């Protein structure tokens, strides 16, 4: 019998991350959710809430914007749980401002959390996946990394950077049984978008041909498709999941 594959989802306790954890567990994976270290109590509550619904998620603390924290997390995961077969880079933040008002701190925070994080975490797993001859890496980008967005020079740049990262690493790992793809959600109903002022949210929804935001499950389903054992020939791809908002 095949061993149960291990999936690590950064930002796993967040809105989209939670749906991804559930989808991967439903697919038979052992799922580890990464959480931001100061949020340990929230992460523990999240874990016990899901345990009572029958999901045995592991949780690990890691600041993905920090290389050493990412290295330590993967080292600990390997020693206590096992080598990661599936990685979903999902942690992310926004710090929206027009460029003329944006501070270097807002630029750095978004680039480090949304883009450097993909290097920091993926760097730790590529060798093991290559040696094992199997791996699935999915980077959660954004429609705004494809089309740009007013007030999001930092976020759009970071998410666009993920596309380049995905395609470069996909080429490096193409002969190793490791696929690397990205998913670009449109607007998804989570705490991140609940924080958008109502009138702006309504104007965004008017731009979506489907006339609504996505549900986290609709993103998670696409991630589980990309990470499926049978999905062996798709690499370096970006799958837009945006209700028709930006067709590419
Ligand atoms: P959430 O804020 O719910 O989830 C993001 C998660 O990332 C949170 O759990 C957060 O932890 C974690 N995180 C933030 N910074 C760090 C860090 N330095 N180290 C470790 N973890 C960190 O947002 P969503 O679920 O909506 O977003 C998930 C991903 O999807 C993000 O990459 C986002 O950019 C992307 N996305 C979201 C869209 C949307 O409409 N919601 C649209 C397109 C893309 P904590 O809460 O403790 O800070």
């Amino acid at each position: 019998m095949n061993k149960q594959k291990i999936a690590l989802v950064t930002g796993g306790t967040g809105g989209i991350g939670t749906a991804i954890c559930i989808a991967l567990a439903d697919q038979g994976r052992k799922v580890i959710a990464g959480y931001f270290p100061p949020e340990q109590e929230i992460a523990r509550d999240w874990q016990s809430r899901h345990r009572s619904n029958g999901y045995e998620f592991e949780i690990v603390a890691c600041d993905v914007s920090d290389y050493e924290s990412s290295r330590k997390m993967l080292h600990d995961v390997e020693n206590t749980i096992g080598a990661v077969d599936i990685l979903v880079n999902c942690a992310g933040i926004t710090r929206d401002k027009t460029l003329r008002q944006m501070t270097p701190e807002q630029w750095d925070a978004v680039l480090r959390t949304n883009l450097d994080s993909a290097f920091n975490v993926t760097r730790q797993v590529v060798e093991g996946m290559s040696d094992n001859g199997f791996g699935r890496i999915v980077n959660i980008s954004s429609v705004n990394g494809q089309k740009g967005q007013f007030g999001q020079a930092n976020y759009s740049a970071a998410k666009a950077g993920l596309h380049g990262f995905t395609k470069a690493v996909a080429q490096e790992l193409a002969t190793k049984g490791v696929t690397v793809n990205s998913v670009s959600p449109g607007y998804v109903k989570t705490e991140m978008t609940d924080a958008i002022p109502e009138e702006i949210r309504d104007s965004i929804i008017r731009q979506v041909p489907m006339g609504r935001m996505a549900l986290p499950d609709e993103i998670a389903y696409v991630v589980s498709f990309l990470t499926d054992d049978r999905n062996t020939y798709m690499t370096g791809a970006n799958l837009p999941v945006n209700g028709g908002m930006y067709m590419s």
Side-chain angles (χ1 to χ4, degrees), residues 14-16 36 39 62-64 90-92 113 141 155 159 186 188 190 193:
I16 296 174
F36 191 46
E39 307 291 357
C62 173
D63 177 356
V64 295
C90 183
T113 308
S141 181
Y155 187 79
K159 293 299 193 183
V188 186
T190 66
T193 48

Side-chain angles (χ1 to χ4, degrees), residues 13-233:
T13 60
I16 296 174
T18 297
I20 294 173
C21 289
I22 291 171
L24 297 187
D26 287 346
Q27 216 176 19
R29 313 311 196 179
K30 174 154 195 66
V31 177
I32 307 163
Y35 68 90
F36 191 46
E39 307 291 357
Q40 187 181 54
E41 214 166 298
I42 294 174
R44 287 209 173 125
D45 285 352
W46 177 92
Q47 185 184 36
S48 47
R49 210 168 50 248
H50 289 288
R51 183 170 293 141
S52 60
N53 290 331
Y55 289 97
E56 283 295 337
F57 297 136
E58 303 283 344
I59 53 171
V60 286
C62 173
D63 177 356
V64 295
S65 69
D66 181 78
Y67 186 81
E68 190 47 33
S69 176
S70 306
R71 195 199 58 73
K72 186 176 175 314
M73 165 182 67
L74 265 304
H75 180 264
D76 293 348
V77 163
E78 255 187 42
N79 286 331
T80 56
I81 304 169
V84 169
D85 305 289
I86 297 161
L87 168 65
V88 184
N89 286 309
C90 183
I93 58 167
T94 52
R95 297 285 183 271
D96 297 357
K97 279 279 182 277
T98 58
L99 188 59
R100 58 192 296 175
Q101 292 180 309
M102 191 176 286
T103 63
E105 291 73 26
Q106 288 163 337
W107 173 267
D108 280 349
V110 169
L111 269 288
R112 283 195 286 109
T113 308
N114 294 275
L115 181 58
D116 292 6
S117 58
F119 167 74
N120 294 340
V121 181
T122 309
R123 176 69 180 79
Q124 318 302 329
V125 300
V126 285
E127 217 170 309
M129 286 182 180
S130 299
D131 290 350
N132 293 338
F134 179 91
R136 297 280 181 272
I137 299 170
V138 179
N139 298 313
I140 305 300
S141 181
S142 165
V143 66
N144 292 342
Q146 297 180 282
K147 70 171 191 56
Q149 175 60 29
F150 185 98
Q152 287 197 324
N154 49 4
Y155 187 79
S156 300
K159 293 299 193 183
L162 279 180
H163 295 310
F165 178 79
T166 298
K167 289 187 264 191
V169 182
Q171 290 179 36
E172 292 182 17
L173 301 179
T175 60
K176 308 288 185 194
V178 182
T179 67
V180 189
N181 295 288
S182 58
V183 173
S184 291
Y187 287 85
V188 186
K189 206 181 154 8
T190 66
E191 274 176 28
M192 190 180 266
T193 48
D194 285 346
I196 300 173
E198 200 178 338
E199 67 278 12
I200 298 179
R201 212 168 44 234
D202 289 348
S203 78
I204 289 168
I205 291 172
R206 281 197 294 276
Q207 296 164 40
V208 182
M210 286 193 182
R212 63 173 179 86
M213 288 194 183
L215 297 173
D217 288 352
E218 294 175 304
I219 310 304
Y221 169 70
V222 176
V223 174
S224 67
F225 162 73
L226 286 172
T227 59
D228 195 285
D229 290 356
R230 294 165 294 180
N231 197 343
T232 47
Y233 203 60

